[in-house]
Amino acid sequence: MRNKRLTLIVLLILSAMPIILKAQFINGDTINTCRIKVSSSTHGVTLLNNLDTYLSGYNYHGAGYHYNHENFRDARLGKHKFKYQTIFSGIIGATELYDSKQYTLLLKRMWSGYHPFKINERLQLLAGAQIQLATGALYIPTNGNNLVSAKLRTSLAATGMAIYKIPLRTKKITTRYQIDIPLIGVAFSPGFGQSYYEIFGLGNYDNIFHLIHTFNAPSWRHTLSADIPIGKRNSTTLRASYIADIFQSDINELRTHIYSHTFSIGIVKTLYKIKAGDPLKKYSPY
């Protein structure tokens, strides 16, 4: 009789082990929502319109490839809840004017922090600040004097976002609109007719970094996207997006504008970031 009771107790303990382990490693205290992030990578075609009077006084039109990677997650500062976003984007393209070709390489990195305002179950508004770092180059191989115009700038921007969830049968489509407006920053720009040899070869570094703001560099970036669950049990999320990145400047007697309009598509994944010391680090299914 005792053996039967002992066997029953052992069976009950063994059958409860998966629940115990799950409770140990996946509970409210261990799974910190600030470590859950939504990560997306999208690839698309971008339409370019470039003007840089350091290279030419004419507009160049063309197209290119656009890559965009975004991480989005919760963040906390004391008792207050925020949202944190990082974005990396890159453009490789070619534009032309008659027989002249211009090649474009643009890279941008952005760090954003938002305060959320939940309006209702479907709508959420976010407002915050953003740090932007942009670099790249425009290159015209057939130019007689100046072949390359290097780009480097950093800015503090205001940013806002609206998130709206659309229920559709068994799916829930998440739509977002985001706008980023640089307010103040610093940009690299040689003077009109000043060569890079003068700057880097002869060491003439005077007057090559300039304060930029909404009056001499009115720019903005806005994004419209939709996250659409697909596949069996909505196991995969597809993101379709449109990004317009508008940069303009009139500094150091040089005018520049770089307009890009991108249509892209990609996959969204939800990841859990495990830090050292987290009990989940020690867990193994084997």
Side-chain angles (χ1 to χ4, degrees), residues 174-199:
T174 302
T175 60
R176 292 191 311 162
Y177 174 75
Q178 178 177 342
I179 184 166
D180 313 313
I181 303 175
L183 301 178
I184 192 168
V186 176
F188 165 81
S189 176
F192 183 81
Q194 183 182 16
S195 68
Y196 287 104
Y197 173 73
E198 292 179 53
I199 299 172

mmCIF file with all atom_site columns, all heavy atoms in Angstrom, residues 174-199:
data_model
loop_
_atom_site.group_PDB
_atom_site.id
_atom_site.type_symbol
_atom_site.label_atom_id
_atom_site.label_alt_id
_atom_site.label_comp_id
_atom_site.label_asym_id
_atom_site.label_entity_id
_atom_site.label_seq_id
_atom_site.pdbx_PDB_ins_code
_atom_site.Cartn_x
_atom_site.Cartn_y
_atom_site.Cartn_z
_atom_site.occupancy
_atom_site.B_iso_or_equiv
_atom_site.pdbx_formal_charge
_atom_site.auth_seq_id
_atom_site.auth_comp_id
_atom_site.auth_asym_id
_atom_site.auth_atom_id
_atom_site.pdbx_PDB_model_num
ATOM 1   N N   . THR A 1 174 ? -1.240 45.817 -37.280 1.00 0.00 ? 174 THR A N   1
ATOM 2   C CA  . THR A 1 174 ? -0.709 46.974 -36.562 1.00 0.00 ? 174 THR A CA  1
ATOM 3   C C   . THR A 1 174 ? -0.174 47.988 -37.557 1.00 0.00 ? 174 THR A C   1
ATOM 4   O O   . THR A 1 174 ? 0.760  47.708 -38.310 1.00 0.00 ? 174 THR A O   1
ATOM 5   C CB  . THR A 1 174 ? 0.419  46.550 -35.603 1.00 0.00 ? 174 THR A CB  1
ATOM 6   O OG1 . THR A 1 174 ? -0.082 45.575 -34.682 1.00 0.00 ? 174 THR A OG1 1
ATOM 7   C CG2 . THR A 1 174 ? 0.937  47.748 -34.825 1.00 0.00 ? 174 THR A CG2 1
ATOM 8   N N   . THR A 1 175 ? -0.777 49.161 -37.574 1.00 0.00 ? 175 THR A N   1
ATOM 9   C CA  . THR A 1 175 ? -0.329 50.237 -38.468 1.00 0.00 ? 175 THR A CA  1
ATOM 10  C C   . THR A 1 175 ? 0.380  51.309 -37.637 1.00 0.00 ? 175 THR A C   1
ATOM 11  O O   . THR A 1 175 ? 0.013  51.567 -36.485 1.00 0.00 ? 175 THR A O   1
ATOM 12  C CB  . THR A 1 175 ? -1.506 50.868 -39.222 1.00 0.00 ? 175 THR A CB  1
ATOM 13  O OG1 . THR A 1 175 ? -2.439 51.415 -38.289 1.00 0.00 ? 175 THR A OG1 1
ATOM 14  C CG2 . THR A 1 175 ? -2.216 49.814 -40.068 1.00 0.00 ? 175 THR A CG2 1
ATOM 15  N N   . ARG A 1 176 ? 1.380  51.917 -38.244 1.00 0.00 ? 176 ARG A N   1
ATOM 16  C CA  . ARG A 1 176 ? 2.137  52.964 -37.557 1.00 0.00 ? 176 ARG A CA  1
ATOM 17  C C   . ARG A 1 176 ? 2.441  54.109 -38.507 1.00 0.00 ? 176 ARG A C   1
ATOM 18  O O   . ARG A 1 176 ? 2.704  53.907 -39.685 1.00 0.00 ? 176 ARG A O   1
ATOM 19  C CB  . ARG A 1 176 ? 3.463  52.416 -37.019 1.00 0.00 ? 176 ARG A CB  1
ATOM 20  C CG  . ARG A 1 176 ? 3.358  51.419 -35.902 1.00 0.00 ? 176 ARG A CG  1
ATOM 21  C CD  . ARG A 1 176 ? 4.723  51.166 -35.292 1.00 0.00 ? 176 ARG A CD  1
ATOM 22  N NE  . ARG A 1 176 ? 5.736  50.878 -36.304 1.00 0.00 ? 176 ARG A NE  1
ATOM 23  C CZ  . ARG A 1 176 ? 7.045  50.957 -36.097 1.00 0.00 ? 176 ARG A CZ  1
ATOM 24  N NH1 . ARG A 1 176 ? 7.517  51.362 -34.943 1.00 0.00 ? 176 ARG A NH1 1
ATOM 25  N NH2 . ARG A 1 176 ? 7.898  50.649 -37.054 1.00 0.00 ? 176 ARG A NH2 1
ATOM 26  N N   . TYR A 1 177 ? 2.405  55.305 -37.930 1.00 0.00 ? 177 TYR A N   1
ATOM 27  C CA  . TYR A 1 177 ? 2.901  56.484 -38.642 1.00 0.00 ? 177 TYR A CA  1
ATOM 28  C C   . TYR A 1 177 ? 3.912  57.162 -37.733 1.00 0.00 ? 177 TYR A C   1
ATOM 29  O O   . TYR A 1 177 ? 3.635  57.424 -36.566 1.00 0.00 ? 177 TYR A O   1
ATOM 30  C CB  . TYR A 1 177 ? 1.787  57.462 -38.989 1.00 0.00 ? 177 TYR A CB  1
ATOM 31  C CG  . TYR A 1 177 ? 2.326  58.741 -39.604 1.00 0.00 ? 177 TYR A CG  1
ATOM 32  C CD1 . TYR A 1 177 ? 2.772  58.757 -40.924 1.00 0.00 ? 177 TYR A CD1 1
ATOM 33  C CD2 . TYR A 1 177 ? 2.421  59.906 -38.851 1.00 0.00 ? 177 TYR A CD2 1
ATOM 34  C CE1 . TYR A 1 177 ? 3.290  59.917 -41.478 1.00 0.00 ? 177 TYR A CE1 1
ATOM 35  C CE2 . TYR A 1 177 ? 2.935  61.067 -39.396 1.00 0.00 ? 177 TYR A CE2 1
ATOM 36  C CZ  . TYR A 1 177 ? 3.367  61.068 -40.717 1.00 0.00 ? 177 TYR A CZ  1
ATOM 37  O OH  . TYR A 1 177 ? 3.890  62.219 -41.258 1.00 0.00 ? 177 TYR A OH  1
ATOM 38  N N   . GLN A 1 178 ? 5.098  57.429 -38.263 1.00 0.00 ? 178 GLN A N   1
ATOM 39  C CA  . GLN A 1 178 ? 6.162  58.064 -37.482 1.00 0.00 ? 178 GLN A CA  1
ATOM 40  C C   . GLN A 1 178 ? 6.737  59.233 -38.252 1.00 0.00 ? 178 GLN A C   1
ATOM 41  O O   . GLN A 1 178 ? 6.958  59.152 -39.470 1.00 0.00 ? 178 GLN A O   1
ATOM 42  C CB  . GLN A 1 178 ? 7.275  57.052 -37.179 1.00 0.00 ? 178 GLN A CB  1
ATOM 43  C CG  . GLN A 1 178 ? 8.455  57.637 -36.416 1.00 0.00 ? 178 GLN A CG  1
ATOM 44  C CD  . GLN A 1 178 ? 9.515  56.599 -36.071 1.00 0.00 ? 178 GLN A CD  1
ATOM 45  O OE1 . GLN A 1 178 ? 9.261  55.399 -36.097 1.00 0.00 ? 178 GLN A OE1 1
ATOM 46  N NE2 . GLN A 1 178 ? 10.713 57.053 -35.733 1.00 0.00 ? 178 GLN A NE2 1
ATOM 47  N N   . ILE A 1 179 ? 6.991  60.329 -37.542 1.00 0.00 ? 179 ILE A N   1
ATOM 48  C CA  . ILE A 1 179 ? 7.622  61.490 -38.160 1.00 0.00 ? 179 ILE A CA  1
ATOM 49  C C   . ILE A 1 179 ? 8.778  61.956 -37.280 1.00 0.00 ? 179 ILE A C   1
ATOM 50  O O   . ILE A 1 179 ? 8.665  61.999 -36.051 1.00 0.00 ? 179 ILE A O   1
ATOM 51  C CB  . ILE A 1 179 ? 6.615  62.638 -38.398 1.00 0.00 ? 179 ILE A CB  1
ATOM 52  C CG1 . ILE A 1 179 ? 7.306  63.789 -39.149 1.00 0.00 ? 179 ILE A CG1 1
ATOM 53  C CG2 . ILE A 1 179 ? 5.977  63.109 -37.098 1.00 0.00 ? 179 ILE A CG2 1
ATOM 54  C CD1 . ILE A 1 179 ? 6.353  64.810 -39.722 1.00 0.00 ? 179 ILE A CD1 1
ATOM 55  N N   . ASP A 1 180 ? 9.917  62.253 -37.911 1.00 0.00 ? 180 ASP A N   1
ATOM 56  C CA  . ASP A 1 180 ? 11.125 62.718 -37.225 1.00 0.00 ? 180 ASP A CA  1
ATOM 57  C C   . ASP A 1 180 ? 11.544 64.045 -37.849 1.00 0.00 ? 180 ASP A C   1
ATOM 58  O O   . ASP A 1 180 ? 11.723 64.129 -39.074 1.00 0.00 ? 180 ASP A O   1
ATOM 59  C CB  . ASP A 1 180 ? 12.262 61.700 -37.370 1.00 0.00 ? 180 ASP A CB  1
ATOM 60  C CG  . ASP A 1 180 ? 11.806 60.276 -37.084 1.00 0.00 ? 180 ASP A CG  1
ATOM 61  O OD1 . ASP A 1 180 ? 11.125 60.063 -36.070 1.00 0.00 ? 180 ASP A OD1 1
ATOM 62  O OD2 . ASP A 1 180 ? 12.129 59.385 -37.901 1.00 0.00 ? 180 ASP A OD2 1
ATOM 63  N N   . ILE A 1 181 ? 11.710 65.070 -37.012 1.00 0.00 ? 181 ILE A N   1
ATOM 64  C CA  . ILE A 1 181 ? 12.067 66.398 -37.502 1.00 0.00 ? 181 ILE A CA  1
ATOM 65  C C   . ILE A 1 181 ? 13.329 66.878 -36.790 1.00 0.00 ? 181 ILE A C   1
ATOM 66  O O   . ILE A 1 181 ? 13.282 67.195 -35.594 1.00 0.00 ? 181 ILE A O   1
ATOM 67  C CB  . ILE A 1 181 ? 10.920 67.407 -37.276 1.00 0.00 ? 181 ILE A CB  1
ATOM 68  C CG1 . ILE A 1 181 ? 9.630  66.917 -37.945 1.00 0.00 ? 181 ILE A CG1 1
ATOM 69  C CG2 . ILE A 1 181 ? 11.306 68.780 -37.794 1.00 0.00 ? 181 ILE A CG2 1
ATOM 70  C CD1 . ILE A 1 181 ? 8.433  67.796 -37.679 1.00 0.00 ? 181 ILE A CD1 1
ATOM 71  N N   . PRO A 1 182 ? 14.480 66.938 -37.479 1.00 0.00 ? 182 PRO A N   1
ATOM 72  C CA  . PRO A 1 182 ? 15.700 67.459 -36.858 1.00 0.00 ? 182 PRO A CA  1
ATOM 73  C C   . PRO A 1 182 ? 15.532 68.932 -36.466 1.00 0.00 ? 182 PRO A C   1
ATOM 74  O O   . PRO A 1 182 ? 15.027 69.737 -37.258 1.00 0.00 ? 182 PRO A O   1
ATOM 75  C CB  . PRO A 1 182 ? 16.758 67.296 -37.956 1.00 0.00 ? 182 PRO A CB  1
ATOM 76  C CG  . PRO A 1 182 ? 16.195 66.269 -38.884 1.00 0.00 ? 182 PRO A CG  1
ATOM 77  C CD  . PRO A 1 182 ? 14.718 66.443 -38.838 1.00 0.00 ? 182 PRO A CD  1
ATOM 78  N N   . LEU A 1 183 ? 15.972 69.262 -35.251 1.00 0.00 ? 183 LEU A N   1
ATOM 79  C CA  . LEU A 1 183 ? 15.827 70.631 -34.751 1.00 0.00 ? 183 LEU A CA  1
ATOM 80  C C   . LEU A 1 183 ? 17.142 71.394 -34.771 1.00 0.00 ? 183 LEU A C   1
ATOM 81  O O   . LEU A 1 183 ? 17.198 72.540 -35.209 1.00 0.00 ? 183 LEU A O   1
ATOM 82  C CB  . LEU A 1 183 ? 15.273 70.598 -33.321 1.00 0.00 ? 183 LEU A CB  1
ATOM 83  C CG  . LEU A 1 183 ? 13.918 69.910 -33.145 1.00 0.00 ? 183 LEU A CG  1
ATOM 84  C CD1 . LEU A 1 183 ? 13.524 69.900 -31.673 1.00 0.00 ? 183 LEU A CD1 1
ATOM 85  C CD2 . LEU A 1 183 ? 12.846 70.596 -33.990 1.00 0.00 ? 183 LEU A CD2 1
ATOM 86  N N   . ILE A 1 184 ? 18.211 70.743 -34.310 1.00 0.00 ? 184 ILE A N   1
ATOM 87  C CA  . ILE A 1 184 ? 19.509 71.416 -34.247 1.00 0.00 ? 184 ILE A CA  1
ATOM 88  C C   . ILE A 1 184 ? 20.607 70.370 -34.310 1.00 0.00 ? 184 ILE A C   1
ATOM 89  O O   . ILE A 1 184 ? 20.419 69.240 -33.847 1.00 0.00 ? 184 ILE A O   1
ATOM 90  C CB  . ILE A 1 184 ? 19.629 72.261 -32.956 1.00 0.00 ? 184 ILE A CB  1
ATOM 91  C CG1 . ILE A 1 184 ? 20.839 73.189 -33.041 1.00 0.00 ? 184 ILE A CG1 1
ATOM 92  C CG2 . ILE A 1 184 ? 19.648 71.396 -31.714 1.00 0.00 ? 184 ILE A CG2 1
ATOM 93  C CD1 . ILE A 1 184 ? 20.852 74.256 -31.936 1.00 0.00 ? 184 ILE A CD1 1
ATOM 94  N N   . GLY A 1 185 ? 21.730 70.749 -34.908 1.00 0.00 ? 185 GLY A N   1
ATOM 95  C CA  . GLY A 1 185 ? 22.818 69.793 -35.024 1.00 0.00 ? 185 GLY A CA  1
ATOM 96  C C   . GLY A 1 185 ? 24.070 70.426 -35.612 1.00 0.00 ? 185 GLY A C   1
ATOM 97  O O   . GLY A 1 185 ? 24.190 71.650 -35.704 1.00 0.00 ? 185 GLY A O   1
ATOM 98  N N   . VAL A 1 186 ? 24.992 69.559 -36.030 1.00 0.00 ? 186 VAL A N   1
ATOM 99  C CA  . VAL A 1 186 ? 26.254 69.994 -36.622 1.00 0.00 ? 186 VAL A CA  1
ATOM 100 C C   . VAL A 1 186 ? 26.486 69.185 -37.891 1.00 0.00 ? 186 VAL A C   1
ATOM 101 O O   . VAL A 1 186 ? 26.255 67.971 -37.908 1.00 0.00 ? 186 VAL A O   1
ATOM 102 C CB  . VAL A 1 186 ? 27.431 69.793 -35.643 1.00 0.00 ? 186 VAL A CB  1
ATOM 103 C CG1 . VAL A 1 186 ? 28.751 70.155 -36.305 1.00 0.00 ? 186 VAL A CG1 1
ATOM 104 C CG2 . VAL A 1 186 ? 27.229 70.620 -34.378 1.00 0.00 ? 186 VAL A CG2 1
ATOM 105 N N   . ALA A 1 187 ? 26.952 69.863 -38.956 1.00 0.00 ? 187 ALA A N   1
ATOM 106 C CA  . ALA A 1 187 ? 27.193 69.186 -40.230 1.00 0.00 ? 187 ALA A CA  1
ATOM 107 C C   . ALA A 1 187 ? 28.547 69.588 -40.790 1.00 0.00 ? 187 ALA A C   1
ATOM 108 O O   . ALA A 1 187 ? 29.014 70.722 -40.603 1.00 0.00 ? 187 ALA A O   1
ATOM 109 C CB  . ALA A 1 187 ? 26.094 69.518 -41.232 1.00 0.00 ? 187 ALA A CB  1
ATOM 110 N N   . PHE A 1 188 ? 29.169 68.650 -41.495 1.00 0.00 ? 188 PHE A N   1
ATOM 111 C CA  . PHE A 1 188 ? 30.419 68.908 -42.210 1.00 0.00 ? 188 PHE A CA  1
ATOM 112 C C   . PHE A 1 188 ? 30.094 69.451 -43.592 1.00 0.00 ? 188 PHE A C   1
ATOM 113 O O   . PHE A 1 188 ? 29.237 68.915 -44.299 1.00 0.00 ? 188 PHE A O   1
ATOM 114 C CB  . PHE A 1 188 ? 31.217 67.610 -42.334 1.00 0.00 ? 188 PHE A CB  1
ATOM 115 C CG  . PHE A 1 188 ? 32.334 67.675 -43.343 1.00 0.00 ? 188 PHE A CG  1
ATOM 116 C CD1 . PHE A 1 188 ? 33.549 68.257 -43.025 1.00 0.00 ? 188 PHE A CD1 1
ATOM 117 C CD2 . PHE A 1 188 ? 32.157 67.146 -44.617 1.00 0.00 ? 188 PHE A CD2 1
ATOM 118 C CE1 . PHE A 1 188 ? 34.574 68.325 -43.960 1.00 0.00 ? 188 PHE A CE1 1
ATOM 119 C CE2 . PHE A 1 188 ? 33.176 67.199 -45.556 1.00 0.00 ? 188 PHE A CE2 1
ATOM 120 C CZ  . PHE A 1 188 ? 34.387 67.790 -45.227 1.00 0.00 ? 188 PHE A CZ  1
ATOM 121 N N   . SER A 1 189 ? 30.788 70.525 -43.984 1.00 0.00 ? 189 SER A N   1
ATOM 122 C CA  . SER A 1 189 ? 30.603 71.071 -45.329 1.00 0.00 ? 189 SER A CA  1
ATOM 123 C C   . SER A 1 189 ? 31.812 71.908 -45.723 1.00 0.00 ? 189 SER A C   1
ATOM 124 O O   . SER A 1 189 ? 32.142 72.879 -45.032 1.00 0.00 ? 189 SER A O   1
ATOM 125 C CB  . SER A 1 189 ? 29.344 71.945 -45.405 1.00 0.00 ? 189 SER A CB  1
ATOM 126 O OG  . SER A 1 189 ? 29.227 72.532 -46.693 1.00 0.00 ? 189 SER A OG  1
ATOM 127 N N   . PRO A 1 190 ? 32.493 71.559 -46.813 1.00 0.00 ? 190 PRO A N   1
ATOM 128 C CA  . PRO A 1 190 ? 33.556 72.440 -47.320 1.00 0.00 ? 190 PRO A CA  1
ATOM 129 C C   . PRO A 1 190 ? 32.932 73.698 -47.911 1.00 0.00 ? 190 PRO A C   1
ATOM 130 O O   . PRO A 1 190 ? 31.721 73.752 -48.172 1.00 0.00 ? 190 PRO A O   1
ATOM 131 C CB  . PRO A 1 190 ? 34.224 71.582 -48.401 1.00 0.00 ? 190 PRO A CB  1
ATOM 132 C CG  . PRO A 1 190 ? 33.146 70.653 -48.859 1.00 0.00 ? 190 PRO A CG  1
ATOM 133 C CD  . PRO A 1 190 ? 32.290 70.372 -47.659 1.00 0.00 ? 190 PRO A CD  1
ATOM 134 N N   . GLY A 1 191 ? 33.738 74.709 -48.139 1.00 0.00 ? 191 GLY A N   1
ATOM 135 C CA  . GLY A 1 191 ? 33.248 75.915 -48.774 1.00 0.00 ? 191 GLY A CA  1
ATOM 136 C C   . GLY A 1 191 ? 33.146 75.741 -50.279 1.00 0.00 ? 191 GLY A C   1
ATOM 137 O O   . GLY A 1 191 ? 33.665 74.774 -50.851 1.00 0.00 ? 191 GLY A O   1
ATOM 138 N N   . PHE A 1 192 ? 32.474 76.674 -50.924 1.00 0.00 ? 192 PHE A N   1
ATOM 139 C CA  . PHE A 1 192 ? 32.332 76.623 -52.378 1.00 0.00 ? 192 PHE A CA  1
ATOM 140 C C   . PHE A 1 192 ? 33.716 76.721 -53.025 1.00 0.00 ? 192 PHE A C   1
ATOM 141 O O   . PHE A 1 192 ? 34.472 77.652 -52.799 1.00 0.00 ? 192 PHE A O   1
ATOM 142 C CB  . PHE A 1 192 ? 31.444 77.771 -52.859 1.00 0.00 ? 192 PHE A CB  1
ATOM 143 C CG  . PHE A 1 192 ? 31.190 77.731 -54.334 1.00 0.00 ? 192 PHE A CG  1
ATOM 144 C CD1 . PHE A 1 192 ? 30.217 76.906 -54.871 1.00 0.00 ? 192 PHE A CD1 1
ATOM 145 C CD2 . PHE A 1 192 ? 31.933 78.517 -55.210 1.00 0.00 ? 192 PHE A CD2 1
ATOM 146 C CE1 . PHE A 1 192 ? 29.977 76.861 -56.229 1.00 0.00 ? 192 PHE A CE1 1
ATOM 147 C CE2 . PHE A 1 192 ? 31.714 78.475 -56.578 1.00 0.00 ? 192 PHE A CE2 1
ATOM 148 C CZ  . PHE A 1 192 ? 30.734 77.640 -57.077 1.00 0.00 ? 192 PHE A CZ  1
ATOM 149 N N   . GLY A 1 193 ? 34.071 75.696 -53.811 1.00 0.00 ? 193 GLY A N   1
ATOM 150 C CA  . GLY A 1 193 ? 35.370 75.675 -54.477 1.00 0.00 ? 193 GLY A CA  1
ATOM 151 C C   . GLY A 1 193 ? 36.511 75.160 -53.616 1.00 0.00 ? 193 GLY A C   1
ATOM 152 O O   . GLY A 1 193 ? 37.643 75.044 -54.110 1.00 0.00 ? 193 GLY A O   1
ATOM 153 N N   . GLN A 1 194 ? 36.264 74.854 -52.356 1.00 0.00 ? 194 GLN A N   1
ATOM 154 C CA  . GLN A 1 194 ? 37.316 74.344 -51.482 1.00 0.00 ? 194 GLN A CA  1
ATOM 155 C C   . GLN A 1 194 ? 37.472 72.838 -51.698 1.00 0.00 ? 194 GLN A C   1
ATOM 156 O O   . GLN A 1 194 ? 36.526 72.080 -51.569 1.00 0.00 ? 194 GLN A O   1
ATOM 157 C CB  . GLN A 1 194 ? 36.970 74.622 -50.010 1.00 0.00 ? 194 GLN A CB  1
ATOM 158 C CG  . GLN A 1 194 ? 38.039 74.184 -49.031 1.00 0.00 ? 194 GLN A CG  1
ATOM 159 C CD  . GLN A 1 194 ? 37.627 74.438 -47.578 1.00 0.00 ? 194 GLN A CD  1
ATOM 160 O OE1 . GLN A 1 194 ? 36.455 74.664 -47.292 1.00 0.00 ? 194 GLN A OE1 1
ATOM 161 N NE2 . GLN A 1 194 ? 38.593 74.410 -46.669 1.00 0.00 ? 194 GLN A NE2 1
ATOM 162 N N   . SER A 1 195 ? 38.673 72.396 -52.029 1.00 0.00 ? 195 SER A N   1
ATOM 163 C CA  . SER A 1 195 ? 38.892 70.986 -52.328 1.00 0.00 ? 195 SER A CA  1
ATOM 164 C C   . SER A 1 195 ? 39.186 70.206 -51.051 1.00 0.00 ? 195 SER A C   1
ATOM 165 O O   . SER A 1 195 ? 39.605 70.766 -50.031 1.00 0.00 ? 195 SER A O   1
ATOM 166 C CB  . SER A 1 195 ? 40.053 70.820 -53.311 1.00 0.00 ? 195 SER A CB  1
ATOM 167 O OG  . SER A 1 195 ? 41.280 71.186 -52.690 1.00 0.00 ? 195 SER A OG  1
ATOM 168 N N   . TYR A 1 196 ? 39.012 68.895 -51.129 1.00 0.00 ? 196 TYR A N   1
ATOM 169 C CA  . TYR A 1 196 ? 39.326 68.045 -49.987 1.00 0.00 ? 196 TYR A CA  1
ATOM 170 C C   . TYR A 1 196 ? 40.845 67.956 -49.771 1.00 0.00 ? 196 TYR A C   1
ATOM 171 O O   . TYR A 1 196 ? 41.299 67.664 -48.662 1.00 0.00 ? 196 TYR A O   1
ATOM 172 C CB  . TYR A 1 196 ? 38.722 66.657 -50.183 1.00 0.00 ? 196 TYR A CB  1
ATOM 173 C CG  . TYR A 1 196 ? 37.222 66.656 -50.005 1.00 0.00 ? 196 TYR A CG  1
ATOM 174 C CD1 . TYR A 1 196 ? 36.370 66.593 -51.103 1.00 0.00 ? 196 TYR A CD1 1
ATOM 175 C CD2 . TYR A 1 196 ? 36.658 66.751 -48.742 1.00 0.00 ? 196 TYR A CD2 1
ATOM 176 C CE1 . TYR A 1 196 ? 34.999 66.614 -50.948 1.00 0.00 ? 196 TYR A CE1 1
ATOM 177 C CE2 . TYR A 1 196 ? 35.289 66.774 -48.569 1.00 0.00 ? 196 TYR A CE2 1
ATOM 178 C CZ  . TYR A 1 196 ? 34.460 66.708 -49.670 1.00 0.00 ? 196 TYR A CZ  1
ATOM 179 O OH  . TYR A 1 196 ? 33.101 66.748 -49.509 1.00 0.00 ? 196 TYR A OH  1
ATOM 180 N N   . TYR A 1 197 ? 41.603 68.214 -50.812 1.00 0.00 ? 197 TYR A N   1
ATOM 181 C CA  . TYR A 1 197 ? 43.055 68.254 -50.650 1.00 0.00 ? 197 TYR A CA  1
ATOM 182 C C   . TYR A 1 197 ? 43.459 69.407 -49.728 1.00 0.00 ? 197 TYR A C   1
ATOM 183 O O   . TYR A 1 197 ? 44.360 69.270 -48.891 1.00 0.00 ? 197 TYR A O   1
ATOM 184 C CB  . TYR A 1 197 ? 43.749 68.394 -51.999 1.00 0.00 ? 197 TYR A CB  1
ATOM 185 C CG  . TYR A 1 197 ? 45.237 68.614 -51.888 1.00 0.00 ? 197 TYR A CG  1
ATOM 186 C CD1 . TYR A 1 197 ? 46.089 67.563 -51.521 1.00 0.00 ? 197 TYR A CD1 1
ATOM 187 C CD2 . TYR A 1 197 ? 45.798 69.876 -52.109 1.00 0.00 ? 197 TYR A CD2 1
ATOM 188 C CE1 . TYR A 1 197 ? 47.457 67.767 -51.397 1.00 0.00 ? 197 TYR A CE1 1
ATOM 189 C CE2 . TYR A 1 197 ? 47.157 70.088 -51.990 1.00 0.00 ? 197 TYR A CE2 1
ATOM 190 C CZ  . TYR A 1 197 ? 47.982 69.034 -51.630 1.00 0.00 ? 197 TYR A CZ  1
ATOM 191 O OH  . TYR A 1 197 ? 49.342 69.244 -51.495 1.00 0.00 ? 197 TYR A OH  1
ATOM 192 N N   . GLU A 1 198 ? 42.769 70.560 -49.886 1.00 0.00 ? 198 GLU A N   1
ATOM 193 C CA  . GLU A 1 198 ? 43.046 71.696 -49.007 1.00 0.00 ? 198 GLU A CA  1
ATOM 194 C C   . GLU A 1 198 ? 42.743 71.346 -47.553 1.00 0.00 ? 198 GLU A C   1
ATOM 195 O O   . GLU A 1 198 ? 43.469 71.750 -46.638 1.00 0.00 ? 198 GLU A O   1
ATOM 196 C CB  . GLU A 1 198 ? 42.208 72.904 -49.414 1.00 0.00 ? 198 GLU A CB  1
ATOM 197 C CG  . GLU A 1 198 ? 42.561 73.514 -50.749 1.00 0.00 ? 198 GLU A CG  1
ATOM 198 C CD  . GLU A 1 198 ? 41.639 74.683 -51.059 1.00 0.00 ? 198 GLU A CD  1
ATOM 199 O OE1 . GLU A 1 198 ? 41.529 75.582 -50.201 1.00 0.00 ? 198 GLU A OE1 1
ATOM 200 O OE2 . GLU A 1 198 ? 41.028 74.682 -52.147 1.00 0.00 ? 198 GLU A OE2 1
ATOM 201 N N   . ILE A 1 199 ? 41.647 70.576 -47.349 1.00 0.00 ? 199 ILE A N   1
ATOM 202 C CA  . ILE A 1 199 ? 41.221 70.259 -45.981 1.00 0.00 ? 199 ILE A CA  1
ATOM 203 C C   . ILE A 1 199 ? 42.129 69.212 -45.353 1.00 0.00 ? 199 ILE A C   1
ATOM 204 O O   . ILE A 1 199 ? 42.717 69.435 -44.290 1.00 0.00 ? 199 ILE A O   1
ATOM 205 C CB  . ILE A 1 199 ? 39.754 69.779 -45.981 1.00 0.00 ? 199 ILE A CB  1
ATOM 206 C CG1 . ILE A 1 199 ? 38.836 70.876 -46.530 1.00 0.00 ? 199 ILE A CG1 1
ATOM 207 C CG2 . ILE A 1 199 ? 39.325 69.367 -44.581 1.00 0.00 ? 199 ILE A CG2 1
ATOM 208 C CD1 . ILE A 1 199 ? 37.399 70.418 -46.745 1.00 0.00 ? 199 ILE A CD1 1
#
